[in-house]
Amino acid sequence: MWAFLPPLGHWRVNRDAQASHSAKQYHGLRNQGSTCYLNTVLQCLYMTKDFRAAVQSFKPGPQDSSQGNAGLLLQLQNLFGELNKVNATTEGITESLSISNVHEQQDAVEYYQRILKQIVPQVSQVFEGKLSNNSKCPDEHIYQEKCPFITIPLAINTGHDEIYNVKEGLEAFFQPSQLDEDNWLYCDQCDQKTETETWNEIEEFPTVLTLHLKRFDFDYMQMKHVKNHCPMDIPLTLQLKDYEYDLYAVVNHSGDRSGGHYNAVIKPFEDNQWYCFDDSFVTKYSVDALQKSRLPYLLMYRQTPSRRNFALQKLLKSTALRRMTSALCNRFIIVAVFIMCLVPVTWRMFR
């Protein structure tokens, strides 16, 4: 269970003074008690351009109404409309998510995933990619399991005072690993459990890449979950194969598992400046403060348009090449058939 504690660090120091310097075009969300986790997630979703447009243009059909998918989306529509004008409230969202106790804090990542899974896929697809979970036995028999993903979980194995490098952590997620003997998998072709090598690959890259920094882990010595407060080395850009991503939103958590506070640091697409969204308060923020910060819990990267276009052009070129090759092959076959038919006729003419 989460209990609400006052926020830590510089986030709410002199908040009244900071609020007077807030950017007026952006608005906050009122905290109902301990709903900072929900406010933070909603601000990140609102500041995702493609998602905001999809929510605002959504019109429920008969199938959406029958499956109960429209309620939350309509509440998001109302909320996004309010956020354009004033500080908004989230009562409609908490009701749609069946949150009965607004004084009990929850996990922001859990509700980020819950919201995106509860709404219709055509609206949330900007956050979804496809991951291939691969396993291989010593005889090179490979098995693949493809599944959609919204977040990539990054294990944090550094000490509390050591710097965790996010880029290296992401690379480690895709590195092959050998399973312990107790966890060997059954190979159908070998007809037995064998040594197993596993690795992950992204089959379809999402428009928004979300990294979950797994600060909370279960400590068997203390028999409870503990938080790793290590500082983070956070890259502002990421390169994954032909795709480049820019950081645009960070979910921060101060405190520990028994209580704490969430806020979001976001670079809106309207002006590309950084702001801190802390419930009702919106203040300007220096991105330099992210480096070596002990607060980041969730990182959101947006695929850059230039690289997105490059990947699309590459796909179109490969498709066009395949079509051209296919067309040339078809023409070659036609010519070959024509020659085969023509040769016997010509031979008979000149005998």
Side-chain angles (χ1 to χ4, degrees):
M1 181 179 294
W2 295 71
F4 178 74
L5 292 179
L8 305 179
H10 65 277
W11 297 108
R12 291 197 178 184
V13 176
N14 297 325
R15 288 182 60 173
D16 293 337
Q18 290 178 355
S20 64
H21 299 290
S22 297
K24 300 303 181 183
Q25 67 267 40
Y26 302 116
H27 302 92
L29 292 168
R30 289 190 286 276
N31 194 323
Q32 296 184 54
S34 296
T35 56
C36 56
Y37 67 94
L38 184 62
N39 292 348
T40 298
V41 167
L42 292 171
Q43 289 285 12
C44 291
L45 295 177
Y46 176 70
M47 291 299 177
T48 302
K49 184 177 182 180
D50 294 347
F51 181 75
R52 188 197 299 185
V55 168
Q56 291 174 332
S57 62
F58 173 73
K59 294 181 180 178
Q63 185 177 5
D64 299 318
S65 300
S66 63
Q67 295 179 354
N69 294 327
L72 178 57
L73 267 171
L74 293 177
Q75 291 297 334
L76 286 171
Q77 275 186 344
N78 294 336
L79 179 70
F80 288 2
E82 285 185 49
L83 276 174
N84 279 325
K85 300 172 289 187
V86 295
N87 280 7
T89 183
T90 58
E91 275 86 354
I93 303 293
T94 52
E95 183 177 350
S96 294
L97 292 171
S98 301
I99 299 174
S100 57
N101 185 0
V102 295
H103 297 283
E104 181 183 19
Q105 192 178 105
Q106 304 289 343
D107 184 72
V109 175
E110 177 187 340
Y111 273 81
Y112 175 77
Q113 295 173 332
R114 183 173 171 182
I115 290 171
L116 294 178
K117 289 178 181 178
Q118 189 167 324
I119 59 182
V120 294
Q122 61 265 32
V123 175
S124 62
Q125 63 183 354
V126 65
F127 299 97
E128 188 173 296
K130 190 162 289 185
L131 198 67
S132 174
N133 300 316
N134 307 293
S135 61
K136 182 175 67 173
C137 74
D139 290 335
E140 301 293 322
H141 300 141
I142 298 176
Y143 298 88
Q144 287 186 327
E145 182 184 7
K146 296 182 180 180
C147 57
F149 73 92
I150 294 174
T151 62
I152 292 181
L154 300 185
I156 300 177
N157 299 316
T158 59
H160 290 267
D161 293 320
E162 298 175 3
I163 297 174
Y164 177 81
N165 187 295
V166 171
K167 185 178 178 182
E168 292 177 359
L170 182 59
E171 291 172 353
F173 179 80
F174 296 107
Q175 289 297 314
S177 62
Q178 296 287 339
L179 296 183
D180 296 333
E181 185 174 355
D182 292 340
N183 297 317
W184 285 359
L185 300 180
Y186 184 86
C187 176
D188 290 333
Q189 292 176 265
C190 298
D191 195 24
Q192 62 179 344
K193 283 190 173 183
T194 66
E195 295 181 30
T196 307
E197 181 182 42
T198 64
W199 70 97
N200 300 307
E201 292 178 332
I202 296 181
E203 293 285 334
E204 295 180 12
F205 287 81
T207 302
V208 174
L209 178 70
T210 307
L211 305 181
H212 172 201
L213 307 173
K214 298 185 68 177
R215 287 189 178 274
F216 296 100
D217 200 6
F218 192 81
D219 188 327
Y220 286 93
M221 296 293 292
Q222 303 182 52
M223 294 305 295
K224 65 177 184 179
H225 282 89
V226 296
K227 181 182 178 184
N228 190 323
H229 294 270
C230 67
M232 296 279 176
D233 184 359
I234 300 173
L236 298 182
T237 61
L238 284 174
Q239 185 75 41
L240 295 175
K241 293 187 177 180
D242 292 329
Y243 298 88
E244 186 177 87
Y245 289 87
D246 286 340
L247 182 71
Y248 78 97
V250 178
V251 171
N252 285 314
H253 179 263
S254 59
D256 54 32
R257 186 174 176 84
S258 61
H261 181 69
Y262 285 98
N263 63 33
V265 174
I266 306 174
K267 181 175 69 172
F269 57 86
E270 290 97 342
D271 64 4
N272 284 323
Q273 296 186 53
W274 287 90
Y275 300 86
C276 178
F277 293 81
D278 193 350
D279 290 335
S280 299
F281 296 84
V282 182
T283 58
K284 283 198 172 183
Y285 182 85
S286 172
V287 70
D288 295 336
L290 279 178
Q291 295 308 317
K292 310 303 185 290
S293 172
R294 296 176 181 268
L295 302 177
Y297 184 46
L298 190 77
L299 306 177
M300 299 174 68
Y301 289 84
R302 182 189 295 113
Q303 196 179 121
T304 59
S306 59
R307 300 304 297 179
R308 200 184 313 175
N309 292 338
F310 171 78
L312 180 60
Q313 289 171 6
K314 186 176 180 180
L315 176 63
L316 292 175
K317 284 181 180 178
S318 63
T319 304
L321 181 61
R322 286 196 298 270
R323 288 176 179 172
M324 183 174 67
T325 303
S326 177
L328 288 174
C329 289
N330 290 337
R331 290 182 183 180
F332 176 78
I333 292 171
I334 292 172
V335 171
V337 171
F338 177 75
I339 292 173
M340 291 172 63
C341 295
L342 183 61
V343 168
V345 176
T346 306
W347 174 254
R348 286 195 296 271
M349 289 175 61
F350 290 97
R351 287 185 61 180

